[in-house]
Amino acid sequence: MDTKYWDLQNIQVTENNSAIQQAAEAIQHKHTVAFPTETVYGLGADATSEEAVDKIFKAKGRPSDNPLIVHIGEQKQVEQIVSQIPEKAVKLMDAFWPGPLTIILKSNGACAENVTAGLDSVGVRFPDHPVAIALLKASGKPVAAPSANQSGRPSPTTAEHVLDDLSGKIYGVLDGGPTGVGVESTVVDCTGDLPVILRPGGVTKEEMEQVVGPVLFDVALKNNSEKPKAPGMKYTHYAPNAPLWLVEGSVERIKEVVSLMQQEGKRVGVMVSEENRDQFQDVVVKTCGHGSDLSEVAKHIYDVLRAFNKEDVDIIIGQTYPKEGVGVAVMNRLEKAATKMVK
Ligand code: TXA
Ligand code: MG
């Protein structure tokens, strides 16, 4: 199939835009359409149609036991999908929607069974992006959408990334330019007494605690032997083609590891923050912005991981970041992408 490309960069988008109308019609006809959100690009299909949702799994090569997030274009649409909305979930919605927060609630069965991979809960998200909202409203459907990458690869933050992975496998892509947050939404389970973060993301634990009091992290985030409650968290993810080693230590230690690899005859790529760039010569250096601004790092991390695939390197050596604020999400993604942690 020839994947359609709609360019919506730098224009004010409304539901009446002709590209939005065509994309919405494609969703209604059970096709897959990739679209920008404030976090990463998603690959959307009608969440109420098993046949449409199946096309997402096929295009991505995604394991069928990994449930999809359902996207809505206005807050009250959540009532069409879930059976109950606890008070804490309402508070989180009021505070962070539209925005990078996915809330897991008890499903009412309105979504197709393959969306939830047989679970009795469903993840709901109201994204904060004008193109996403216009598409969701124009289609009139709840839209299931995982990140629009080939399963296992870094999530896409541009339409070009989407086409690199999925061209010919999806109906179309709406290009709304680069996304803003860069890492995916925070996934928070609100089916129990206390909210539990299953995947760290754009909204931090501290931000949520200001609104609802204590919030927990899923134990599997800290302890690898526990089974994660978000099925997707058990898979290898975000990996560039070359192995990625993360060095826990100073820039001097990173330089030592780089020279060791060079002595072994390896072509080395280095992934560090901007202030460390000048410390490295004779290697391919890519930076995600200044280490002091973790949201800048989050914004560029996937683009940099993908960019190494276009370089001739045998190994990538990267630095770590403080696990605070959005740094928790950055380190979660880097640790998943890495093949080795070096002390
Ligand atoms: O920012 C985002 O969340 C992006 C954009 C496109 O919205 N979407 C995204 O979807 O990252 P995906 O499919 O790549 O990741 C969804 C995560 C997976 O780890 C999945 O296992 C988990 O959410 N999840 C979905 N539904 C769940 C449920 N009912 N219970 C537990 N975990 C669930
Ligand atoms: Mg994903």
Side-chain angles (χ1 to χ4, degrees), residues 67-87:
L68 306 180
I69 294 172
V70 177
H71 295 65
I72 55 177
E74 54 185 332
Q75 189 165 326
K76 66 174 191 295
Q77 211 182 342
V78 65
E79 293 161 16
Q80 298 168 18
I81 304 168
V82 307
S83 59
Q84 42 179 293
I85 310 179
E87 198 185 323

Side-chain angles (χ1 to χ4, degrees), residues 60 62 147 149 155 184 199 237:
K60 282 185 57 107
R62 180 176 175 108
S147 48
N149 51 284
S155 297
E184 298 88 339
R199 177 179 73 180
H237 261 320

Side-chain angles (χ1 to χ4, degrees), residues 7-266:
D7 190 357
L8 293 174
Q9 291 176 91
N10 309 316
I11 57 171
Q12 279 232 305
V13 176
T14 66
E15 274 168 75
N16 301 324
N17 175 283
S18 80
I20 293 290
Q21 289 292 323
Q22 290 170 46
E25 223 168 275
I27 295 280
Q28 289 160 353
H29 286 100
K30 306 190 189 339
H31 296 299
T32 52
V33 173
F35 59 95
T37 77
E38 79 281 33
T39 58
V40 301
Y41 275 70
L43 178 61
D46 177 356
T48 62
S49 161
E50 183 120 17
E51 180 192 336
V53 169
D54 191 49
K55 291 181 183 167
I56 296 178
F57 283 95
K58 290 224 165 77
K60 282 185 57 107
R62 180 176 175 108
S64 60
D65 69 346
N66 191 4
L68 306 180
I69 294 172
V70 177
H71 295 65
I72 55 177
E74 54 185 332
Q75 189 165 326
K76 66 174 191 295
Q77 211 182 342
V78 65
E79 293 161 16
Q80 298 168 18
I81 304 168
V82 307
S83 59
Q84 42 179 293
I85 310 179
E87 198 185 323
K88 285 186 179 157
V90 176
K91 285 190 176 156
L92 290 171
M93 288 171 196
D94 289 344
F96 299 109
W97 278 6
L101 183 68
T102 296
I103 303 182
I104 309 280
L105 296 164
K106 288 273 179 232
S107 158
N108 70 1
C111 290
E113 216 163 287
N114 49 354
V115 169
T116 55
L119 299 174
D120 62 0
S121 62
V122 61
V124 191
R125 160 154 150 73
F126 177 6
D128 188 13
H129 194 290
V131 173
I133 293 175
L135 174 69
L136 292 163
K137 285 195 167 153
S139 74
K141 303 275 188 189
V143 170
S147 48
N149 51 284
Q150 195 70 48
S151 222
R153 298 198 67 202
S155 297
T157 53
T158 64
E160 192 190 337
H161 295 162
V162 174
L163 290 170
D164 280 347
D165 281 18
L166 301 176
S167 183
K169 296 181 176 170
I170 61 176
Y171 185 88
V173 57
L174 289 161
D175 188 349
T179 58
V181 179
V183 290
E184 298 88 339
S185 63
T186 302
V187 177
V188 64
D189 184 351
C190 286
T191 60
D193 289 340
L194 289 180
V196 182
I197 296 174
L198 307 187
R199 177 179 73 180
V203 174
T204 66
K205 178 173 184 277
E206 295 76 19
E207 287 168 334
M208 281 192 271
E209 285 183 329
Q210 284 183 4
V211 177
V212 285
V215 172
L216 307 173
F217 276 119
D218 184 10
V219 283
L221 289 170
K222 292 212 172 103
N223 180 349
N224 280 336
S225 59
E226 294 286 331
K227 183 169 177 253
K229 282 185 75 189
M233 297 295 282
K234 69 175 180 282
Y235 294 106
T236 311
H237 261 320
Y238 320 116
N241 297 339
L244 168 67
W245 287 12
L246 288 184
V247 179
E248 291 173 300
S250 63
V251 69
E252 293 311 320
R253 180 69 185 128
I254 302 174
K255 283 162 84 172
E256 271 171 34
V257 177
V258 168
S259 347
L260 272 172
M261 289 300 110
Q262 285 176 316
Q263 281 161 29
E264 287 184 15
K266 296 217 161 87

Side-chain angles (χ1 to χ4, degrees), residues 283-330:
V283 289
V284 180
V285 185
K286 295 197 184 289
T287 75
C288 308
H290 287 90
S292 54
D293 184 354
L294 290 171
S295 30
E296 194 63 22
V297 176
K299 193 169 176 162
H300 297 294
I301 176 175
Y302 289 137
D303 189 39
V304 168
L305 285 171
R306 277 178 179 263
F308 275 115
N309 290 347
K310 303 207 161 133
E311 301 286 349
D312 204 10
V313 296
D314 302 314
I315 186 161
I316 304 163
I317 311 288
Q319 73 173 64
T320 58
Y321 295 90
K323 287 183 183 172
E324 53 198 45
V326 76
V328 178
V330 166

